[in-house]
Amino acid sequence: MQPIRLTAPVAREDLAKLRAGERVLLSGVVYTARDAAHARLCAALEAGQPLPVDLRGQTVFYAGPTPTPPQRASGAIGPTTSMRMDAFTPALLAYGVNALIGKGGRSPAVREALMRAGAVYFAAIGGCAAYMSACVKSVEVVAYDDLGAESVKRLVVEDMPLTVALDCRGFDAYAEGVRAYLAQRDA
């Protein structure tokens, strides 16, 4: 099956068509944010302050690229463990973030928040940060420059390979993979 091509920001109606386990090639604009940036973003939301960058309708990638080498748009960039953002994710989804990119499973609270928001969680391949950097065409710091690698960056990406890990109906590719493995093992 050929991967589905999507352009970010991805419209909610396009996200609604996605199914857990489907492969995607994502092009367009995504924003990086890791732990420290998430804490600041959510503190601003809680205080009723505007965010330094409007993430409504956007895709957030849990990553922090390494310094950019000569002749490249980005240094190595790979997903960080998503569960570290679970405490912040429901607030950002309620704010209007459309999609998330990371690695690893998510909590039941995040799955519920994704369903309420009509959003999706994409899994990126861990350990392939050098390969993923080839998908990045430009990087610009847009918020929290003092956080260095953890600042919020606007990336333009092309054909970033992802898998729909949690779709907006609550189906979980990680859980389905475990079920399929156990069924095969026990058969």
Side-chain angles (χ1 to χ4, degrees), residues 98-180:
N98 263 5
L100 310 163
I101 303 169
K103 70 177 180 184
R106 303 308 297 265
S107 69
V110 169
R111 184 176 8 183
E112 292 296 321
L114 286 162
M115 289 189 299
R116 276 193 307 277
V120 301
Y121 167 54
F122 295 111
I125 301 168
C128 292
Y131 171 78
M132 295 290 278
S133 72
C135 300
V136 178
K137 302 307 171 193
S138 70
V139 176
E140 173 190 8
V141 175
V142 294
Y144 310 137
D145 189 37
D146 62 304
L147 294 178
E150 289 204 32
S151 63
V152 177
K153 295 172 183 67
R154 181 185 186 273
L155 307 181
V156 175
V157 300
E158 184 177 308
D159 291 340
M160 180 177 280
L162 305 169
T163 300
V164 180
L166 284 166
D167 65 30
C168 63
R169 285 166 297 290
F171 292 103
D172 183 338
Y174 287 109
E176 195 52 45
V178 170
R179 275 193 289 276

Side-chain angles (χ1 to χ4, degrees), residues 52-139:
V53 59
D54 189 1
L55 296 174
R56 284 179 286 223
Q58 300 298 325
T59 299
V60 173
F61 184 14
Y62 303 145
T66 64
T68 304
Q71 320 314 316
R72 301 293 303 263
S74 174
I77 183 168
T80 196
T81 303
S82 300
M83 146 178 338
R84 294 189 347 230
M85 269 49 77
D86 280 4
F88 307 112
T89 299
L92 289 173
L93 290 169
Y95 170 76
V97 169
N98 263 5
L100 310 163
I101 303 169
K103 70 177 180 184
R106 303 308 297 265
S107 69
V110 169
R111 184 176 8 183
E112 292 296 321
L114 286 162
M115 289 189 299
R116 276 193 307 277
V120 301
Y121 167 54
F122 295 111
I125 301 168
C128 292
Y131 171 78
M132 295 290 278
S133 72
C135 300
V136 178
K137 302 307 171 193
S138 70
V139 176

